[in-house]
């Protein structure tokens, strides 16, 4: 049965949001802490589906950890090397978490066993062939269980490193996965990136975390990477996860469209996440942004459409497509082909739903162009089981019409409390209370 959530028009936006931890950082730190040589205490861990899938997999792989404070604190007992797997024929279900299945594939290719990685239906449509090809170049034996290039996959191990190439144009998560595995490989690894590398700031997140766990990777302009093998990640006593910059985008946008002012706590200009750049894009569109120590503030102002390449911030870029509805003139978002390969075909999904609320939308293979509606249409929004479509379209309640969001629970992938948080900064007209 499909459930739905009706969001009534909001009159004003004002307040403070305390951000949950970053998905990208949480899953990387949980994995690397598990491979490290001691105990790591991680605070502000995100409590969401993507992280539960990683934690469940780590448990099945023999990692001991304790969770506290509603799963936001995790004490991990690292194994100081590869997983010590007792059950040699495991199946790990990873939902639709790209940040779980892809790095785990690379790490599990380093030891010998029979481990199947699988996920939900959409995961079986998300390509992983480029990563498998790179691992095979380094000796890995990996089989596709249903369809070539897609999960589920069966890993036999055999990966030793050496000279490999990886394609950069589909997902940066492939390179991230190779980088996380490389220090534990028997041989030194040389990775050469073929073609353009998409979503580059996520590589900085990876390099930064790897570096914090005591391993240095050298590279030339994100094209050629060198990683000595036979290394050990060194556990860190305490790691504090930054707030999630992609999740911040919805509240920054809400303020820009309908504020008042919203103060977002948990990130600032020093964030290691590329999606922090969203605030600068919003500023370019006209919003008033100010930065402080561990917070960003955004205040409403007249918004104007822009023409931008947002390849580097694909997740937060979706929120710009919604801000475009409230801006003067046309907004074009370019170089976003890989939107099509994520939780849904996000270019087609966004175009379809944006048209429902009255926008005139042009969709290309790698761009979307949005002309705002003269008058908003109240609509029932299909969310395609994509958390970001649900969170983006909830902002339609900042127009003069209500919006109904189908399957609102899908936000649990990265932000289970999203609607509660949005409500906490929303003020309603007296008559709708
Ligand atoms: O490495 C990461 O944490 C991520 C990288 C990005 O994916 P792509 O590199 O596939 O664009 C992003 O969309 C995803 O939500 C998280
Ligand atoms: C693309 C996303 O997720 P994943 O980490 O599964 O790729 C996302 O969160 O928008």
């Amino acid at each position: 049965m499909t459930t739905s959530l009706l969001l009534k028009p909001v009159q004003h936006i004002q307040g403070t949001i305390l951000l949950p931890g970053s998905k990208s950082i949480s899953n990387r730190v949980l994995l690397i802490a598990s491979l490290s040589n001691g105990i790591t205490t991680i605070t502000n861990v995100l409590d969401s589906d993507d992280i539960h899938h990683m934690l469940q997999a780590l448990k099945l792989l023999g990692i001991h950890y304790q969770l506290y404070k509603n799963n936001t604190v995790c004490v991990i007992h690292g194994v100081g090397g590869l997983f010590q797997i007792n059950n040699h024929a495991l199946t790990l279900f990873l939902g639709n978490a790209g940040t779980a299945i892809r790095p785990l594939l690379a790490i599990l290719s380093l030891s010998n066993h029979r481990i199947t990685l699988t996920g939900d239906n959409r995961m079986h449509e998300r390509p992983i062939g480029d990563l498998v090809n790179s691992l095979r170049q380094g000796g890995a034996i990996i089989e596709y269980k249903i369809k070539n290039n897609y999960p589920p996959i069966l890993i036999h191990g055999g990966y030793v490193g050496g000279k490999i190439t990886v394609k950069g144009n589909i997902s940066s998560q492939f390179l991230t996965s190779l980088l996380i595995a490389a220090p534990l490989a028997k041989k030194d690894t040389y990775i050469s990136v073929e073609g353009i590398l998409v979503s580059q700031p996520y590589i900085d997140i990876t390099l930064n975390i790897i570096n914090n766990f005591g391993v240095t990777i050298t590279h030339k302009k994100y094209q050629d990477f060198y990683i000595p093998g036979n290394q050990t990640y060194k556990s860190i006593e305490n790691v504090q996860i930054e707030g999630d910059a992609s999740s911040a985008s919805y509240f920054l946008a809400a303020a820009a469209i309908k504020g008042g002012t919203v103060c977002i706590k948990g990130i600032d200009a020093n964030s290691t996440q590329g999606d922090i750049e969203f605030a600068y894009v919003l500023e370019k569109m006209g919003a008033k942004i100010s930065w402080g120590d561990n917070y960003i503030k955004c205040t409403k102002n007249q918004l104007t459409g822009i023409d931008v390449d947002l390849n580097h911030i694909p997740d937060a870029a979706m929120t710009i497509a919604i801000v475009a509805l409230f801006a003067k003139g046309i907004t074009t978002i370019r170089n976003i082909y890989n939107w099509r390969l994520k939780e849904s075909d996000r270019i087609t999904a966004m175009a379809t739903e944006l048209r429902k609320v009255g926008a005139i939308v042009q969709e290309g293979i790698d761009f979307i162009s949005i002309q705002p509606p003269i008058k908003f249409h109240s609509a029932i929004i299909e969310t395609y089981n994509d958390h970001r479509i649900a969170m983006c379209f909830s902002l339609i309640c900042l127009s003069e019409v209500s919006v109904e969001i189908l399957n609102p629970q899908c936000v649990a992938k990265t932000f289970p409390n999203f609607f509660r948080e949005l409500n906490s900064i929303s003020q309603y007209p007296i008559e709708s209370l």
Side-chain angles (χ1 to χ4, degrees), residues 23 96 98-99 126 173 315 343 346 387-388 413:
K23 169 198 79 169
N96 195 4
T99 54
R126 297 182 66 189
Q173 291 177 1
D315 297 355
E343 284 79 329
R346 288 177 166 171
H387 55 138
R388 297 203 193 282
K413 185 174 192 284

Side-chain angles (χ1 to χ4, degrees), residues 13-19 251 261-266 294-297 420-422 424-426:
I13 287 282
Q14 185 79 35
T16 299
I17 297 285
L18 191 53
L19 281 178
F251 308 113
T261 298
V262 171
C263 177
I264 319 272
K265 289 193 171 162
N294 205 32
Y295 72 81
I296 314 176
K297 277 185 184 171
R420 209 170 306 151
E421 295 291 343
L422 181 62
S424 77
I425 55 167
S426 301

Side-chain angles (χ1 to χ4, degrees), residues 3-14:
T3 54
S4 75
L5 178 69
L6 182 69
L7 298 172
K8 291 199 174 153
V10 166
Q11 189 174 37
H12 189 68
I13 287 282
Q14 185 79 35

Side-chain angles (χ1 to χ4, degrees), residues 23-24 27 50 96-102 123 126 171 173 202 246 250 314-316 318 338 341-343 346 386-388 391 413-414:
K23 169 198 79 169
S24 295
N27 267 353
D50 275 11
N96 195 4
T99 54
I101 197 168
R102 289 157 172 178
M123 184 59 101
R126 297 182 66 189
S171 170
Q173 291 177 1
Y202 288 95
S246 322
Y250 310 104
D315 297 355
M318 294 170 71
N338 82 349
L341 308 172
K342 297 181 185 272
E343 284 79 329
R346 288 177 166 171
D386 184 338
H387 55 138
R388 297 203 193 282
M391 295 190 279
K413 185 174 192 284
T414 53

